[in-house]
Amino acid sequence: MKKLILTVVALMSMTMSFAENENAANTNTVEAYNMNVNMNKLSQALGLSDDQIEAVYEIHKTFSAEMMFAAQYGNEERSKKVDTAISRDLSYMNYILNADQYRKYLTLLNVTLRNRGIK
């Protein structure tokens, strides 16, 4: 009887630890898609004017929301949603930023996506 109870307790604790690790992995995945950045630092890095700061803020807010939305999907759907969000963001930023600013923004975005394991 004692062996049976110890076996059940051991199985339950192993099951709980596996479930906890699975939830932690999902949380880390969703957190990687949180694209919130310090807009002051971004505007300084890109050398934005006041009008550009406001436009970039709105575009980036939309991009962040789309990325968090994409994080809720499975791998195949997520990839499509992320690609769509990135292409929209880049097309809007290309309209707002000049060539040098856009090149810097593209570099920053690529580094951020690589560091977070998204692309």
Side-chain angles (χ1 to χ4, degrees), residues 15-110:
T15 303
M16 294 300 282
S17 68
F18 287 128
E20 182 179 336
N21 289 338
E22 185 176 314
N23 289 339
N26 288 341
T27 303
N28 291 338
T29 302
V30 171
E31 288 174 3
Y33 290 85
N34 183 357
M35 300 304 285
N36 292 332
V37 297
N38 185 337
M39 290 306 293
N40 290 332
K41 296 289 185 183
L42 181 63
S43 64
Q44 287 175 356
L46 298 177
L48 300 177
S49 68
D50 290 337
D51 293 335
Q52 285 178 319
I53 291 172
E54 194 173 318
V56 167
Y57 174 75
E58 292 300 325
I59 292 168
H60 191 72
K61 188 169 69 171
T62 303
F63 175 63
S64 296
E66 289 176 353
M67 291 296 283
M68 289 303 291
F69 184 68
Q72 306 301 318
Y73 284 89
N75 287 339
E76 189 174 313
E77 294 262 337
R78 181 183 303 150
S79 178
K80 291 176 186 176
K81 297 285 185 186
V82 166
D83 290 342
T84 302
I86 291 171
S87 65
R88 278 187 194 156
D89 181 58
L90 292 178
S91 67
Y92 296 152
M93 289 295 186
N94 192 22
Y95 183 74
I96 299 297
L97 304 174
N98 64 34
D100 290 333
Q101 291 170 330
Y102 183 73
R103 188 171 11 91
K104 286 180 188 176
Y105 180 76
L106 190 58
T107 302
L108 291 171
L109 183 63
N110 282 332

